[in-house]
C-alpha cells in the first residue's frame, strides 16, 4: 500500500482514483476544482479530500493527475497552491493528462530540481476503459521513476509501458490519436459508401471485420454509427484538442500529417453541426448531412 494523491476527478480521473483505493488498496487523497465532486468521490470510495493540490500532495509517495490541458497541468503543479510545492523528496508525480511533450519535459526538469521524479503517462481507452480499469498507459521518464510508479498505475491499466525519457509518453499518445483519426474517417466513409450502395451494413461489417479491415473502432462503434447515435465515449472537442497537439508537434519535428490535418478540419465541421460533445465516430454524421 502506498500513500497516493489524485488530482482531477473528471470522467477519467474519478474511476481511476477509485481503482487506486479499491483495487490497489492504497491510501488515497483527492483534489478537484469542484469540491462537491471530491466529496462525492470520498463518500463512494472512502478516501480523503484536500482543498488544494499542495495540501493533497503533502506526505504522499505518489501524486497522480488527470486534468484538461497544458495550462491546467501547470496550474496544479507549479501554480499557486500547486502540488510541486507540497511534494516530499523522493516522491513521484504521474501525469495522466494528454498534453504536450514540451510541458512534460518542463515539469520533469522542475521536479528533478526539487528532489522528486516526474512521469508523463497519458492514457487511451476512454471512459469505459477507466471505469473497467483496463486503460493503456504510455509513459515517459527515468527508468527508476517508471519502475516505482508502474505497480501503482497497474490498478487501472491493462497495458503500461515506458517508451523513453520525459515527453515520450505524450509523443506516443500523439501517435495513438493520429492512427485513430484516420481509422474513424475510413470507417465512416466505408459505412457511408455501403449505405449509398444499398448494402446491408451489418452483413458487410460482419464479413469484412474477419479480414484485414478489422479494427477496435469497427468492432465497437459500427453499430451505433449505423444507428446515428454518437454518445459513446471520447468527445469531438477533446479529440480536436489532442489533434492540435499532434499538428503542433509535427510542425516542430517536420512530420507530414496530411490525413490528420484533414480529419481535424472534418471534426471542425462536426462541431459547427452542434457536435462538440458527440463522440469521435460522429464523422459519419458529416457525410450524411
Amino acid at each position: 500500500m502506498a500513500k497516493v494523491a489524485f488530482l482531477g476527478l473528471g470522467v477519467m480521473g474519478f474511476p481511476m482514483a477509485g481503482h487506486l483505493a479499491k483495487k490497489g488498496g492504497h491510501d488515497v487523497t483527492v483534489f478537484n476544482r469542484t469540491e462537491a465532486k471530491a466529496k462525492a468521490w470520498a463518500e463512494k470510495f472512502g478516501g480523503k479530500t484536500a482543498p488544494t493540490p499542495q495540501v493533497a500532495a503533502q506526505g504522499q509517495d505518489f501524486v497522480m493527475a488527470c486534468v484538461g490541458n497544458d495550462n491546467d497541468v501547470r496550474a496544479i503543479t507549479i501554480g499557486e497552491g500547486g502540488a510541486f510545492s507540497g511534494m516530499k523528496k523522493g516522491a513521484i508525480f504521474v501525469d495522466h493528462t494528454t498534453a504536450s511533450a514540451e510541458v512534460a519535459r518542463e515539469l520533469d526538469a522542475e521536479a528533478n530540481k526539487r528532489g522528486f521524479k516526474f512521469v508523463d503517462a497519458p492514457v487511451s481507452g476512454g471512459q469505459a476503459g477507466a471505469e473497467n480499469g483496463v486503460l493503456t498507459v504510455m509513459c515517459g521518464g527515468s527508468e527508476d521513476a517508471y519502475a516505482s510508479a508502474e505497480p501503482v498505475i497497474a490498478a487501472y491499466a491493462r497495458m503500461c509501458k515506458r517508451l523513453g525519457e520525459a515527453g515520450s509518453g505524450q509523443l506516443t499518445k500523439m501517435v495513438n490519436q493520429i492512427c485513430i483519426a484516420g481509422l474513424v474517417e475510413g470507417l465512416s466513409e466505408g459505412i457511408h459508401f455501403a449505405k449509398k450502395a444499398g448494402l446491408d451494413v451489418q452483413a458487410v461489417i460482419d464479413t469484412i471485420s474477419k479480414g484485414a479491415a478489422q479494427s477496435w473502432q469497427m468492432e465497437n462503434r459500427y453499430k451505433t454509427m449505423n444507428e446515428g447515435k454518437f454518445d459513446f465515449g471520447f468527445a469531438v472537442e477533446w479529440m480536436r484538442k489532442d489533434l492540435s497537439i499532434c499538428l503542433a508537434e509535427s510542425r516542430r519535428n517536420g512530420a507530414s500529417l496530411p490525413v490528420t490535418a484533414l480529419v481535424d478540419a472534418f471534426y471542425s465541421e462536426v462541431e459547427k453541426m452542434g457536435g462538440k460533445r458527440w463522440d469521435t465516430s460522429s464523422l459519419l454524421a458529416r457525410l450524411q448531412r
Side-chain angles (χ1 to χ4, degrees):
M1 186 184 77
K3 293 188 68 180
V4 185
F6 202 103
L7 316 177
L9 300 173
V11 295
M12 302 294 287
F14 195 98
M16 290 165 74
H19 286 303
L20 287 170
K22 292 299 185 185
K23 185 178 172 185
H26 301 298
D27 179 3
V28 183
T29 300
V30 298
F31 164 80
N32 194 67
R33 282 183 297 189
T34 305
E35 189 179 356
K37 194 76 174 284
K39 287 182 177 177
W41 184 92
E43 287 172 9
K44 182 172 182 177
F45 295 107
K48 300 182 285 291
T49 66
T52 66
Q54 179 181 7
V55 173
Q58 288 171 353
Q60 308 292 353
D61 304 310
F62 298 89
V63 180
M64 332 296 269
C66 191
V67 291
N69 55 38
D70 284 23
N71 290 336
D72 294 326
V73 176
R74 289 190 179 98
I76 62 162
T77 53
I78 57 177
E80 184 178 351
F84 277 21
S85 57
M87 291 181 69
K88 67 182 183 182
K89 304 283 187 185
I92 299 173
F93 189 98
V94 179
D95 183 26
H96 291 303
T97 309
T98 295
S100 69
E102 181 182 17
V103 76
R105 296 183 190 112
E106 172 190 326
L107 294 177
D108 177 68
E110 184 62 30
N112 280 314
K113 275 190 215 171
R114 298 182 186 225
F116 54 89
K117 300 290 185 182
F118 179 90
V119 176
D120 54 295
V123 301
S124 180
Q127 184 176 348
E131 291 172 350
N132 295 321
V134 292
L135 292 168
T136 295
V137 188
M138 300 151 262
C139 299
S142 67
E143 291 184 7
D144 60 329
Y146 173 77
S148 296
E150 195 276 333
V152 180
I153 295 170
Y156 41 75
R158 175 171 55 188
M159 172 65 182
C160 185
K161 188 174 181 67
R162 175 183 178 269
L163 286 308
E165 295 302 318
S168 298
Q170 296 296 352
L171 292 169
T172 303
K173 179 62 184 286
M174 293 175 211
V175 174
N176 187 77
Q177 302 305 74
I178 290 164
C179 292
I180 288 173
L183 281 169
V184 177
E185 176 60 19
L187 179 58
S188 298
E189 291 183 17
I191 292 172
H192 176 63
F193 181 92
K195 286 184 172 184
K196 288 291 187 181
L199 294 169
D200 180 327
V201 172
Q202 181 170 333
V204 169
I205 299 295
D206 284 347
T207 304
I208 69 171
S209 65
K210 305 305 184 291
Q214 190 275 340
S215 69
W216 186 96
Q217 299 292 336
M218 181 178 288
E219 291 286 344
N220 291 275
R221 289 288 176 265
Y222 95 85
K223 285 184 181 178
T224 51
M225 291 170 73
N226 193 38
E227 294 167 357
K229 297 175 181 176
F230 306 112
D231 189 25
F232 299 89
F234 199 62
V236 166
E237 65 176 338
W238 300 340
M239 185 61 155
R240 288 212 70 208
K241 182 212 82 171
D242 290 1
L243 294 182
S244 72
I245 294 171
C246 299
L247 293 167
E249 187 65 33
S250 75
R251 289 190 287 272
R252 283 190 284 269
N253 69 19
S256 178
L257 302 179
V259 173
T260 304
L262 189 61
V263 175
D264 181 55
F266 291 163
Y267 277 127
S268 175
E269 293 180 35
V270 173
E271 286 187 324
K272 290 171 184 172
M273 293 168 60
K276 279 189 175 185
R277 301 294 297 176
W278 294 350
D279 71 57
T280 51
S281 71
S282 58
L283 285 170
L284 179 59
R286 174 188 159 273
L287 299 173
Q288 296 183 161
R289 283 178 296 184

